[in-house]
Amino acid sequence: MSRKLMIAGNWKLHLTVEEAVSLAGEIASGLMREDLDILVIPGFLALEPVALSLSSSPVLVGGQNIFWEDQGAYTAEVSGPQLKAAGARYVLIGHSERRQYFNETEKTCRLRLEAALKAGLRPILCVGETLAERESGQAEGVLESQLSGGLAGLEAGQMDQVTIAYEPVWAIGTGLTASEEQAAQAHAYIRGWIGARFDKDVANSTRILYGGSVNPANAAGLLNQPEVDGALVGGASLSAESFLGIIQAA
Ligand code: PGA
């Protein structure tokens, strides 16, 4: 099993270009670990300036979303070739905020995933249940439909480009974190699902990140779970001190 841990910071709708470049610089200069993949995910406007500022650093840059057409009359959309040319290596797909506020569906996730692969970007497919879904016993059913929809028709050989992020919606930006056991259980379910859908080797080599109120204090416990291969961090990625603290805890 050779899954390299990843710590990713999703900056969401925060930071001006100048602030984003400055934060990227602080992260790069404070980084003490070379054994992890570190990814920052700025807003689109800051993506290229941040990527340029990190060009001599191991810190990678990703996009928060991707449109499925390469070009055309699609006002305000951003395509795979544009992201790639701007310096992105990864791209988030189906973040719960996109699903919740912007009508993201399994079908559109699948189209975006295809566009990412076609552009040579590594998709990070986000899945996770709401509190109501968890409380009514539907958590695994939700994961199953998000995984089967988002990865529909994908071949095993393409999975080496794909990262999954388990982000229980009730833990995002709420300060509520999944317990280590809850995270371990959901990650084991996802890995089992991947094994059944593809094969055991794919399951063992697919990186599954946990996201939802990860901070320097809870990171070690979560990242110690054998099925948890890293963290997708929102709020705590907006300060170099807390983001680096999570990296140190990993
Ligand atoms: P949070 O966000 O760390 O602020 O909960 C995580 C995410 O949405 O990726």
Side-chain angles (χ1 to χ4, degrees):
M1 223 174 13
S2 60
R3 298 193 304 263
K4 193 174 180 187
L5 281 189
M6 165 178 273
I7 308 295
N10 172 12
W11 294 350
K12 306 191 181 185
L13 180 50
H14 294 286
L15 309 177
T16 62
V17 173
E18 197 180 337
E19 289 164 346
V21 169
S22 156
L23 176 57
E26 283 179 68
I27 291 167
S29 61
L31 193 62
M32 309 287 277
R33 300 277 300 268
E34 287 176 5
D35 53 328
L36 313 175
D37 279 338
I38 307 300
L39 175 69
V40 294
I41 310 175
F44 287 134
L45 287 175
L47 199 151
E48 183 159 30
V50 165
L52 286 172
S53 76
L54 292 171
S55 58
S56 56
S57 140
V59 179
L60 302 165
V61 178
Q64 295 182 10
N65 196 15
I66 177 174
F67 188 53
W68 49 85
E69 296 292 344
D70 286 354
Q71 57 183 330
Y74 303 105
T75 301
E77 294 297 333
V78 175
S79 72
Q82 288 177 324
L83 287 167
K84 182 84 191 212
R89 301 274 299 278
Y90 284 80
V91 63
L92 294 181
I93 294 193
H95 189 280
S96 67
E97 288 149 16
R98 303 296 315 170
R99 295 178 190 266
Q100 208 173 340
Y101 309 130
F102 301 100
N103 301 320
E104 193 75 78
T105 63
E106 310 316 343
K107 188 159 175 255
T108 55
C109 285
R110 181 64 186 91
L111 289 168
R112 294 183 206 283
L113 192 115
E114 192 66 33
L117 294 174
K118 185 175 153 217
L121 295 162
R122 292 169 175 253
I124 301 176
L125 178 66
C126 305
V127 297
E129 79 287 357
T130 64
L131 188 57
E133 288 162 345
R134 171 165 283 265
E135 286 178 342
S136 59
Q138 296 174 66
E140 291 185 352
V142 169
L143 296 179
E144 131 69 31
S145 75
Q146 293 177 343
L147 290 165
S148 56
L151 302 173
L154 211 71
E155 282 166 25
Q158 296 175 288
M159 279 299 286
D160 63 348
Q161 300 300 306
V162 176
T163 297
I164 305 295
Y166 170 62
E167 297 207 301
V169 179
W170 47 273
I172 296 180
T174 57
L176 291 174
T177 317
S179 67
E180 290 159 21
E181 296 70 30
Q182 285 169 325
Q185 203 178 3
H187 281 235
Y189 173 80
I190 293 169
R191 204 173 300 287
W193 185 92
I194 295 171
R197 162 72 174 77
F198 298 100
D199 59 50
K200 203 155 175 268
D201 288 347
V202 172
N204 282 338
S205 55
T206 300
R207 188 152 57 179
I208 307 175
L209 310 180
Y210 170 79
S213 298
V214 176
N215 61 40
N218 62 27
L222 288 160
L223 293 166
N224 266 338
Q225 303 305 310
E227 301 297 344
V228 176
D229 307 316
L232 179 54
V233 186
S237 71
L238 292 169
S239 114
E241 190 188 348
S242 56
F243 192 57
L244 291 167
I246 292 169
I247 293 169
Q248 279 311 108

